[in-house]
Amino acid sequence: MHFSKTKHSKFNESGQLSAFYLFSCIWGIFILVSENYISDPTILWRSYPPNLMTFQVKFFYISQLAYWFHTFPELYFQKTKKEDIPRQLVYIGLYLFHIAGAYLLNLNRLGLVLLVPHYFVEFLFHISRLFYFTDEKYQKGFSLWAVLFVLGRLLTLILSVLTVGFGLARAENQKLDFSTGNFNVLGVRIAVLASICITQAFMMWKFINFQLRRWREHSTFQTPTVKKKPTVTKGRSRKGTENGVNGTLTSNGADSPRNRKEKSS
């Protein structure tokens, strides 16, 4: 496959991120099952703040932060184009902001539940882009990703409002305490919900622009080019054809009767 520099860079990016998203998604599902987060959803806000964070949950968050921090020097070592750096800095910063916020505010349960479906959707996107680079006719993966992307945004908003807006708002202990790690106060809850809603709105805006660009490219590719037929005058068409035939014969060395008479004289 002979890629341009831009496609080669995106191909490498999708290959690396798809492997990371798949590994993190499987690891996160294993933690959700082992910690009984799926069987008992009320554990997301019950007994906040948690008295003890298990080793596998803490190691998961440290690994996530380490990966996204390492992408900053990687932009230099991979010689990323200057026009691509702002885009990558934005989504790297969003990952670090939300993962670190969930870790520091003791919302690790909610953060883990939200990361798993998000990583699965992102994994599907990058796998679809890898297939698209090998065969540009492949579009089925993007269609499935588009549906799951919208469902993932709705799931994120529902779980966030249910946990922060209703579950933690009804908790008895709503006093700021740094020693115990209790940040269940009104200001923090509003900030958490606002950051999540703004991020989801930003992602939907980027998603809509991406879909519109793909729709324009697809419609442009499908539009047939209409060729205009040359207009020829009926009275001169036969004469012009005969002249063309006679000219061709003459140029090929064919003698007319007049030429034969001149030659015999």
Side-chain angles (χ1 to χ4, degrees):
M1 293 180 292
H2 301 282
F3 289 151
S4 61
K5 290 184 178 180
T6 303
K7 281 190 175 182
H8 193 270
S9 176
K10 291 182 178 180
F11 186 85
N12 290 337
E13 178 186 2
S14 294
Q16 179 181 354
L17 288 176
S18 60
F20 168 74
Y21 287 138
L22 178 62
F23 176 76
S24 299
C25 186
I26 295 174
W27 190 7
I29 292 174
F30 175 78
I31 297 176
L32 292 178
V33 174
S34 61
E35 297 289 335
N36 297 324
Y37 289 177
I38 299 177
S39 60
D40 187 11
T42 59
I43 200 173
L44 296 177
W45 61 84
R46 185 163 42 86
S47 66
Y48 177 87
N51 297 325
L52 183 64
M53 185 185 300
T54 60
F55 172 77
Q56 59 179 353
V57 175
K58 191 168 188 176
F59 187 55
F60 176 83
Y61 272 92
I62 292 175
S63 300
Q64 296 296 313
L65 292 173
Y67 176 83
W68 291 112
F69 270 119
H70 107 279
T71 53
F72 286 116
E74 190 178 2
L75 296 176
Y76 171 76
F77 290 116
Q78 287 190 348
K79 298 180 180 180
T80 307
K81 289 185 176 182
K82 292 183 179 180
E83 56 269 20
D84 292 337
I85 291 179
R87 174 184 63 86
Q88 297 194 12
L89 289 178
V90 168
Y91 79 77
I92 292 172
L94 287 174
Y95 274 115
L96 287 174
F97 175 76
H98 287 87
I99 294 174
Y103 181 77
L104 295 175
L105 296 177
N106 286 323
L107 295 172
N108 48 78
R109 299 170 180 172
L110 176 63
L112 184 60
V113 172
L114 296 182
L115 273 179
V116 170
H118 175 75
Y119 277 172
F120 177 76
V121 174
E122 292 298 307
F123 163 74
L124 183 61
F125 169 76
H126 287 285
I127 285 293
S128 302
R129 193 162 74 165
L130 288 176
F131 283 108
Y132 174 77
F133 284 147
T134 57
D135 184 8
E136 294 187 355
K137 296 181 180 179
Y138 181 83
Q139 300 286 341
K140 295 181 180 179
F142 288 116
S143 301
L144 179 60
W145 165 77
V147 176
L148 294 180
F149 182 88
V150 177
L151 294 178
R153 306 285 69 77
L154 292 176
L155 179 63
T156 299
L157 291 175
I158 292 173
L159 290 178
S160 301
V161 173
L162 183 63
T163 302
V164 181
F166 291 96
L168 294 179
R170 296 178 180 180
E172 297 180 357
N173 188 7
Q174 297 190 17
K175 187 179 295 184
L176 184 63
D177 190 356
F178 292 98
S179 60
T180 59
N182 186 11
F183 300 94
N184 187 16
V185 293
L186 180 61
V188 175
R189 292 198 302 269
I190 292 176
V192 169
L193 285 177
S195 63
I196 293 175
C197 293
I198 291 173
T199 303
Q200 302 309 305
F202 173 75
M203 294 175 67
M204 282 300 301
W205 176 69
K206 300 286 287 184
F207 170 78
I208 293 172
N209 288 334
F210 175 76
Q211 292 297 325
L212 290 176
R213 185 170 64 252
R214 285 185 62 240
W215 178 77
R216 292 193 198 100
E217 292 175 356
H218 182 70
S219 60
T220 304
F221 179 77
Q222 293 293 332
T223 302
T225 56
V226 180
K227 294 183 179 180
K228 294 183 178 180
K229 296 182 179 180
T231 56
V232 182
T233 308
K234 292 183 179 180
R236 298 181 180 179
S237 60
R238 182 174 180 81
K239 185 177 179 181
T241 305
E242 292 176 353
N243 292 337
V245 172
N246 293 334
T248 306
L249 292 174
T250 306
S251 63
N252 289 336
D255 293 337
S256 61
R258 185 178 178 182
N259 291 336
R260 293 176 181 174
K261 186 177 179 180
E262 291 176 356
K263 287 181 180 181
S264 61
S265 62

